[in-house]
Amino acid sequence: MVSLKAVSNSTPLIYLAKVSKLNLLKKLFNEIIVSEEVYEEVVLKGKERGEPEVYVISDFFEEGFIQKEETRRPKRKSRGLHEAELKAIGLCEEEKIGHILVDDKEAFELAKLLGLEPWRTSSIILKFFELGEIDYHELRKTLQDLSSAGYFMTAEVYELILGRARS
């Protein structure tokens, strides 16, 4: 599966770094592309705020696994979506990349409508389990760590993920 590229929005990168799982993205993709806005939000503003995960994420930019791409103005407008989310979707379309890492509900739904394959942070963690990169105990702990770090996940989603892992 490592021959794929993906475009990422900010939230998956931030939270995967917070729970020390960002490195596992290399098991799913050979390259992650982000817009300039995502780079600014994650790296530049993260450094200003003193966020510890920014240094882990910065290392991935330095090694070239995560790359920043210039994007044009989004092709579409959508109430409820930030420009960075629209640009991430636009980057998928421009670069003909089918996978997008995004947690925002509206962006997730728009990506699906456009024929993209959106992945939420929680589903990425489940994929790590399915690939054998983490065991069931680590899956549970990682989901709990995500929640403790501020990632919003309903109890229903938490149980759904654990149920899929048990089956």
Side-chain angles (χ1 to χ4, degrees), residues 23-36:
N23 62 318
L24 292 180
L25 281 178
K26 292 179 180 178
K27 302 291 183 172
L28 300 172
F29 304 103
N30 64 351
E31 185 178 6
I32 302 292
I33 309 291
V34 300
S35 67
E36 292 177 39

Side-chain angles (χ1 to χ4, degrees), residues 118-132:
W119 294 22
R120 289 190 170 100
T121 303
S122 53
S123 60
I124 295 167
I125 299 298
L126 178 61
K127 188 58 124 174
F128 295 155
F129 170 79
E130 292 171 348
L131 292 173

Side-chain angles (χ1 to χ4, degrees), residues 103-118:
D103 283 298
D104 178 82
K105 181 180 179 181
E106 288 81 11
F108 187 91
E109 293 302 322
L110 178 58
K112 279 185 6 184
L113 283 172
L114 295 172
L116 302 174
E117 187 175 332

Side-chain angles (χ1 to χ4, degrees), residues 11-30:
T11 307
L13 298 178
I14 292 167
Y15 281 100
L16 288 172
K18 283 183 184 233
V19 298
S20 303
K21 298 292 183 247
L22 189 64
N23 62 318
L24 292 180
L25 281 178
K26 292 179 180 178
K27 302 291 183 172
L28 300 172
F29 304 103
N30 64 351

Side-chain angles (χ1 to χ4, degrees), residues 41-117:
E41 182 180 341
V42 172
V43 176
L44 302 180
K45 290 179 182 173
K47 283 181 180 177
E48 287 174 11
R49 290 187 303 268
E51 301 288 348
E53 67 275 358
V54 74
Y55 298 100
V56 172
I57 297 168
S58 292
D59 288 346
F60 284 83
F61 277 100
E62 287 176 23
E63 75 180 42
F65 176 67
I66 303 176
Q67 296 185 17
K68 172 179 62 166
E69 297 257 338
E70 201 171 308
T71 58
R72 297 181 287 233
R73 305 269 337 131
K75 293 179 183 177
R76 59 189 48 81
K77 298 250 184 236
S78 177
R79 282 186 284 171
L81 288 183
H82 294 97
E83 187 166 337
E85 293 157 341
L86 290 170
K87 282 195 172 185
I89 290 169
L91 199 51
C92 282
E93 293 175 313
E94 288 172 24
E95 301 291 324
K96 300 198 181 348
I97 296 172
H99 295 82
I100 184 167
L101 313 181
V102 62
D103 283 298
D104 178 82
K105 181 180 179 181
E106 288 81 11
F108 187 91
E109 293 302 322
L110 178 58
K112 279 185 6 184
L113 283 172
L114 295 172
L116 302 174
E117 187 175 332

